[in-house]
Amino acid sequence: MLDAQTLSFIYASLMALAILLYAVLDGYDLGVGILLPTDNEEHADTMIASIGPFWDANETWLVLAVGLALIAFPLAHSMILQALYLPVTVMLIGLIIRGVAFDFRAKAKIKRKSMWNKLFKLGSIISAFTQGYMLGLYVMSFDQSALAVVFACLSGVGVVAAYALIGAAWLILKTQGKLQQQAICWCQMATRMAFLGVVAVSAINPIINHSVYERWFESEILLLLLPMPIICLFMFVILDRVLIKLKLHPDIGSWLPFLISCVIFILCFFGLLYSFYPYVVPGKLTIFEALAAPESLRFLFYGVVVVVPTILAYTAFSYRVFWGKVQPLSYY
């Protein structure tokens, strides 16, 4: 029999997994949208083709994360949604614009196609920025002060840069020729911007959030925690070196930038997770306090055992089927 504490760990872990997979998978296709050129139809078509089989399914993880929050932690879901109602609405508008533009660009007349490309790019930027903005407000415990808003905006810009980084890394993996060389240049710029963003947020967060400072710098396991940010920063240096070599030999190790970007995302995510665990609403509500009725969650657990592995298997299968360099864009 699963007790309440065990259920809290299980559902919180599943929600964290869904958020991490969304950030990585939908992050790269949002990044491709952010980087989409509006003056080169051939490159734009190839970039769209590189995410075509995956982009819709990648958003499944966002739906799963929100669904798990609603089912397992309804009180936290209510508090978060109330605090983030406006940015969530803006994010959904961005995702809608993006989805409509993706389909309409294939059916529009030639003279209108550029407009839909611009809307796809705009929708991607709006979605990425609002996600970062919401993350910043979450870190600030949904404070609405001027300082909190500035920090949230900084976080929004950082997430745009991070998505551009992993999007460019995806294009290095999936494309070739001139577009691949362009993606390497994009990845270099995004790497430096994301590096500055990570350093800035990591430095500012403990200063303005005392609980985070205590968690990291007054911890008994400080020596065990210290390698995490060091490794993360070291990954940026390695990525920059790899990109320089790829300019000369683009076909050797083209998968490395994407792998390193994923490692950076994972390290940043677990750093954030450690900073606030066991709070699901920072400073206000823990996963144990927000848990729904254990009886209901025990029943729903049988469904979760089936659904989550099925989504994982489907995701792995789709990436296996469409592995390799991108093929010319086609619509069915």
Side-chain angles (χ1 to χ4, degrees), residues 10-248:
I10 290 172
Y11 280 95
S13 298
L14 289 172
M15 192 167 69
L17 175 65
I19 294 170
L20 175 59
L21 287 174
Y22 173 78
V24 171
L25 298 180
D26 205 44
Y28 80 71
D29 70 55
L30 282 168
V32 170
I34 292 167
L35 297 170
L36 194 75
T38 56
D39 57 354
N40 190 321
E41 288 293 338
E42 183 182 356
H43 283 183
D45 283 346
T46 303
M47 291 168 68
I48 292 292
S50 75
I51 63 173
F54 314 110
W55 77 281
D56 221 5
N58 289 342
E59 294 179 355
T60 302
W61 296 105
L62 177 62
V63 176
L64 179 63
V66 174
L68 286 170
L70 176 62
I71 292 168
F73 309 105
L75 183 56
H77 178 273
S78 176
M79 291 177 66
I80 293 171
L81 191 59
Q82 287 180 35
L84 299 177
Y85 187 83
L86 184 57
V88 165
T89 302
V90 175
M91 181 191 73
L92 292 175
I93 291 171
L95 291 174
I96 291 169
I97 292 172
R98 194 167 176 267
V100 171
F102 184 91
D103 288 328
F104 275 47
R105 72 182 299 279
K107 303 173 178 65
K109 296 179 180 179
I110 298 298
K111 63 180 181 179
R112 300 290 185 188
K113 192 173 181 180
S114 177
M115 179 191 73
W116 292 111
N117 283 341
K118 291 175 182 176
L119 286 173
F120 187 81
K121 187 182 185 76
L122 177 64
S124 300
I125 294 172
I126 290 172
S127 301
F129 179 81
T130 50
Q131 287 176 22
Y133 183 84
M134 288 187 287
L135 175 62
L137 287 183
Y138 178 86
V139 167
M140 295 298 294
S141 301
F142 308 119
D143 184 17
Q144 296 298 323
S145 66
L147 179 62
V149 172
V150 170
F151 179 81
C153 289
L154 174 64
S155 177
V157 173
V159 168
V160 171
Y163 283 174
L165 164 61
I166 199 168
W170 173 258
L171 291 173
I172 295 170
L173 171 65
K174 297 293 287 184
T175 62
Q176 50 194 339
K178 291 182 180 180
L179 179 54
Q180 187 183 44
Q181 287 292 336
Q182 181 64 66
I184 293 171
C185 294
W186 286 334
C187 198
Q188 285 182 311
M189 290 187 291
T191 297
R192 287 154 192 172
M193 289 179 63
F195 174 80
L196 292 175
V198 170
V199 170
V201 171
S202 299
I204 294 172
N205 195 13
I207 295 173
I208 62 180
N209 197 325
H210 186 64
S211 62
V212 173
Y213 177 88
E214 289 181 339
R215 196 73 191 267
W216 281 91
F217 298 103
E218 297 181 4
S219 172
E220 296 177 354
I221 57 171
L222 176 61
L223 293 178
L224 296 177
L225 297 173
L226 195 58
M228 187 182 297
I230 293 175
I231 293 172
C232 184
L233 297 178
F234 188 56
M235 287 293 103
F236 279 106
V237 176
I238 293 176
L239 179 56
D240 189 64
R241 298 296 95 190
V242 167
L243 291 171
I244 291 173
K245 291 184 178 180
L246 279 173
K247 278 190 171 183
L248 301 176

